[in-house]
Amino acid sequence: MMKYKGTFIKAFPIMIRKFMNEQYGKTITKKALKKAPAIYRDMLNKVDDIGEDNPMAGNIYMAFVFMAIWKAADGAISPDSFRVVVRRFLTESFARKFIGKSDMNKPEDVKKAKEKFRNIQAWADAHPQYKDKTWDFNFDESRHKDGSFYYFTRCPLNNFARKYGYLDILPVCCELDYIITEASHGKLIREYTLAEGGSICDYWIVPDKMKNPE
């Protein structure tokens, strides 16, 4: 059980409504956005607690909004169509101001990103009561010459989706990784995700201006 926080479930529907209206019409949109908050709260009651101050907790609070909206539509929203809506929401609405605050073409920003990832894993190492429930960062600096590479073997969102019937919509949440990386002038190169049956979720992030990264 995660502590309820209403920041995302209150703010996101306001900004995503326009794009949902255009994609699905006002009737479906109104129904989904009206039912979503109750579903969102129920999801937080069911998900494993990864720690309120976990640096990765925001991933759950954010992704659950999209998953709850999809669930609330009772089949009227397909994952493929919602993928388009979510991308537009993050790139065309006010939400765009909250992502992409770094530039992966700058070596100092790449360094900061690497430090951030290692600090997140350090938090998990320092909180053993949550370590087996949260994401695990695994680093391999020898894997690629350029950019940064890491991978997960454990994802709370994947575990929750498989247990409670949200697996169809989970890949849409995984797509957020691409959108957020693009906003930071980076390119995410990925082979596997847990959501699609892989044994890991891999992240090779390189500058978007770099040709033929190694």
Side-chain angles (χ1 to χ4, degrees):
M1 178 179 177
M2 290 284 289
K3 179 179 178 181
Y4 174 79
K5 293 184 179 181
T7 304
F8 290 109
I9 192 60
K10 292 177 180 177
F12 279 17
I14 296 173
M15 293 184 282
I16 203 172
R17 182 184 298 274
K18 170 187 174 182
F19 307 108
M20 290 184 62
N21 280 336
E22 293 175 1
Q23 184 74 37
Y24 308 113
K26 292 184 178 181
T27 300
I28 291 174
T29 298
K30 182 178 180 180
K31 174 186 176 182
L33 296 184
K34 182 178 180 180
K35 292 178 59 179
I39 295 175
Y40 183 81
R41 188 181 289 272
D42 181 64
M43 293 168 72
L44 290 175
N45 285 335
K46 292 176 178 177
V47 71
D48 287 338
D49 183 10
I50 66 168
E52 179 184 352
D53 60 341
N54 188 325
M56 293 291 283
N59 288 39
I60 290 178
Y61 288 116
M62 180 170 65
F64 271 14
V65 175
F66 304 122
M67 295 165 74
I69 291 173
W70 170 79
K71 189 74 170 181
D74 294 325
I77 294 178
S78 72
D80 285 341
S81 66
F82 202 41
R83 179 177 284 108
V84 175
V85 170
V86 171
R87 174 172 282 276
R88 291 192 64 198
F89 159 68
L90 286 175
T91 59
E92 299 177 28
S93 77
F94 187 72
R96 175 66 179 81
K97 294 183 178 294
F98 297 96
I99 62 174
K101 294 183 178 181
S102 59
D103 186 345
M104 291 297 100
N105 292 288
K106 297 179 179 179
E108 60 269 29
D109 284 5
V110 174
K111 181 180 178 181
K112 288 179 182 178
K114 289 182 178 181
E115 291 175 350
K116 175 185 175 182
F117 300 145
R118 291 192 178 276
N119 287 338
I120 293 173
Q121 183 56 39
W123 184 95
D125 292 339
H127 295 80
Q129 68 271 39
Y130 301 121
K131 188 173 182 180
D132 292 337
K133 297 178 181 178
T134 190
W135 286 265
D136 60 322
F137 280 78
N138 298 273
F139 305 95
D140 186 352
E141 297 291 347
S142 65
R143 179 76 174 261
H144 296 286
K145 176 182 176 181
D146 301 308
S148 61
F149 176 84
Y150 62 94
Y151 64 91
F152 301 133
T153 64
R154 183 174 57 250
C155 170
L157 290 172
N158 177 67
N159 295 340
F160 178 88
R162 291 182 180 277
K163 185 175 181 179
Y164 293 105
Y166 289 84
L167 193 56
D168 287 346
I169 197 63
L170 186 57
V172 175
C173 298
C174 299
E175 188 120 341
L176 300 181
D177 295 326
Y178 289 95
I179 299 171
I180 293 172
T181 302
E182 290 168 10
S184 297
H185 305 285
K187 180 181 179 182
L188 171 60
I189 302 172
R190 166 180 280 168
E191 293 185 75
Y192 312 103
T193 63
L194 295 168
E196 295 180 332
S199 60
I200 63 171
C201 288
D202 58 333
Y203 294 73
W204 180 23
I205 300 174
V206 298
D208 62 5
K209 291 182 180 180
M210 179 177 289
K211 296 182 179 179
N212 303 316
E214 300 177 1

